[in-house]
Amino acid sequence: MNTQQLSEQYVATTYARFPVTFTHGKGSQLWDDAGKEYIDLGSGIAVNTLGHADETWANAVHAQLLQVSHTSNLYYTAPQAELAQALCTRTGMSRVFFSNSGAEANECMIKTARKWGAGRSTIITLEGSFHGRTIATLTATGQPAMHGDFAPLPAGFKYAKPNDIADLQAKLDETCRAVMMELVQGESGVLTLDKDYVQAVAQLCKANNMLLLIDEVQTGNGRCGSLFAWQQFGIAPDIVSTAKGLAGGLPLGATMFAASTADTLTHGTHGSTFGGNPACCAGALHVLNRLDDTLLADVQAKGEAVRAALQGHPGVKGISGMGLMIGIETVRPAKDIVADCLAQGVVLLTAKDKVRLLPALNIPMAQLQKGLDILAKYL
Ligand SMILES: *Cc1c(COP(=O)(O)O)cnc(C)c1O
């Protein structure tokens, strides 16, 4: 059996996959098992921050693997400590808990919020949000269709309409202890929240002694043109989660605490066997060092270039997002466009009914342009 047949027989049936088996990549190029070349405008799903097989990134991970690849969290390791320091230094946050995924980073955020304000149990999240697939993060996800088969769900979540401060206000009561949200809702169509709304939510949280929890699993790590998207919204979150692009292709989640929540999780109240693995942290440290002001300015410029290239195209109804997190509302069904482009050697994503672009942050402009030219033909 070939890879696709093996996978269909033995791997759980959770994924509807495209009939493509990738064997290797370099930068923003990928090749399949028939030798066909692709331009990758998806980076996994915003994971390969520096593209595929980046040599200095791979060397940093490799060097760490040859030193020590795992010790458990009963002991100190330098990459984890240095990564926590780097994240705090560049964000003004105070402490970091490391896990392996976005859902876990959000679980930690939810646990911390519950422990922080004992007696008040409700976390308000937004309709259309996506926070993960574990039972608690699935419940936090404001998409009832996804809750369907998994009852009973944990109590303590309420949903408010995005960009509607009156709706949020109406849902506040004395049980509420936090608001949790993405600043650009990724999975539900790359919807950027209004800055005024986000600032009003932050004020509401402060006035009601509630925590502001920001899910930057997708928007973080340079994706939106700043190290974290919140830095462009003029807010000071209490807790921020991230994962996807953090380690440039290795599994790593981080939950970052401001001073307000830095000491909430005490010894023994949370943990992870693999979280903060030295090799993953070495990869993340390398990614973070590469995400300097020049690269972040480049992300902004390339995002603008994509918008300029597609704006006014008769097949485009609208363009949303920030930096290199881009949603395109199309006339043709997005899934048809994505399938056509894949056949033509361009890897794209969908987000609900939109085409979604999440290219590597260091994609060369010429490759980005080539991908856009092909996309333009199938819009
Ligand atoms: C992908 C995503 C998650 C879940 O991350 P996993 O690593 O798949 O668990 C959570 N929140 C947001 C905003 C995401 O985009």
Side-chain angles (χ1 to χ4, degrees):
M1 285 195 278
N2 67 24
T3 299
Q4 290 175 33
Q5 291 161 335
L6 276 178
S7 188
E8 288 307 320
Q9 178 152 347
Y10 292 109
V11 177
T13 54
T14 54
Y15 303 110
R17 300 186 203 251
F18 293 98
V20 174
T21 303
F22 288 123
T23 54
H24 59 292
K26 189 71 198 165
S28 287
Q29 288 167 293
L30 275 169
W31 287 269
D32 71 14
D33 56 358
K36 180 175 162 185
E37 187 182 315
Y38 298 78
I39 295 171
D40 183 6
L41 301 183
S43 328
I45 302 175
V47 167
N48 305 100
T49 307
L50 305 172
H52 300 277
D54 182 86
E55 206 161 315
T56 53
W57 172 82
N59 285 339
V61 174
H62 187 230
Q64 183 57 44
L65 285 172
L66 292 174
Q67 293 288 324
V68 63
S69 60
H70 178 82
T71 63
S72 89
N73 280 306
L74 298 172
Y75 314 97
Y76 301 101
T77 56
Q80 188 184 113
E82 288 166 18
L83 177 60
Q85 178 195 34
L87 285 169
C88 289
T89 304
R90 290 190 60 180
T91 60
M93 301 302 267
S94 298
R95 291 185 185 277
V96 186
F97 178 85
F98 291 108
S99 51
N100 312 284
S101 66
E104 283 175 279
N106 283 336
E107 284 278 342
C108 175
M109 187 151 76
I110 292 165
K111 275 182 76 172
T112 308
R114 287 190 171 187
K115 190 168 187 297
W116 177 80
R120 290 160 67 191
S121 59
T122 307
I123 296 174
I124 300 182
T125 70
L126 299 186
E127 293 174 8
S129 60
F130 181 80
H131 297 299
R133 302 282 193 165
T134 62
I135 288 286
T137 58
L138 177 70
T139 309
T141 293
Q143 303 186 51
M146 291 179 63
H147 297 168
D149 300 328
F150 301 103
L153 297 175
F157 294 94
K158 263 196 200 184
Y159 312 97
K161 289 188 175 59
N163 288 331
D164 184 344
I165 195 72
D167 187 61
L168 185 70
Q169 225 145 3
K171 281 170 181 153
L172 274 190
D173 59 37
E174 66 287 351
T175 71
C176 295
R177 87 176 68 197
V179 175
M180 172 170 174
M181 61 192 186
E182 302 155 89
L183 296 171
V184 183
Q185 290 190 335
E187 299 309 308
S188 65
V190 197
L191 171 77
T192 307
L193 296 186
D194 299 337
K195 194 171 173 181
D196 289 351
Y197 171 76
V198 171
Q199 292 187 349
V201 173
Q203 277 165 14
L204 208 65
C205 285
K206 226 180 189 79
N208 291 280
N209 193 27
M210 289 163 53
L211 297 176
L212 179 61
L213 316 180
I214 302 295
D215 178 344
E216 294 236 24
V217 171
Q218 190 164 156
T219 52
N221 312 297
R223 178 56 50 191
C224 291
S226 47
L227 190 58
F228 289 94
W230 101 71
Q231 297 166 316
Q232 296 180 56
F233 280 81
I235 55 168
D238 294 289
I239 314 179
V240 176
S241 59
T242 193
K244 288 195 166 84
L246 177 59
L250 289 170
L252 185 65
T255 310
M256 301 184 278
F257 304 106
S260 57
T261 51
D263 299 315
T264 302
L265 291 177
T266 48
H267 284 179
T269 55
H270 199 50
S272 168
T273 296
F274 283 115
N277 168 278
C280 299
C281 288
L285 257 177
H286 181 79
V287 169
L288 217 52
N289 287 334
R290 293 271 289 277
L291 288 176
D292 58 11
D293 290 344
T294 309
L295 183 55
L296 293 173
D298 252 29
V299 170
Q300 295 278 15
K302 284 178 205 160
E304 291 307 318
V306 172
R307 274 160 250 268
L310 298 175
Q311 205 79 254
H313 188 294
V316 173
K317 291 200 274 185
I319 303 174
S320 62
M322 291 171 72
L324 283 174
M325 180 170 177
I326 298 168
I328 307 166
E329 201 184 339
T330 53
V331 174
R332 288 186 67 209
K335 63 176 182 15
D336 294 352
I337 295 169
V338 169
D340 288 346
C341 286
L342 188 67
Q344 299 302 317
V346 179
V347 180
L348 297 164
L349 301 164
T350 55
K352 281 266 158 64
D353 50 3
K354 290 186 191 167
V355 172
R356 177 170 43 159
L357 269 60
L358 297 166
L361 303 187
N362 62 349
I363 185 171
M365 198 55 219
Q367 277 173 21
L368 181 58
Q369 191 57 55
K370 197 172 154 198
L372 291 175
D373 289 346
I374 294 171
L375 168 61
K377 279 192 217 157
Y378 293 89
L379 280 167

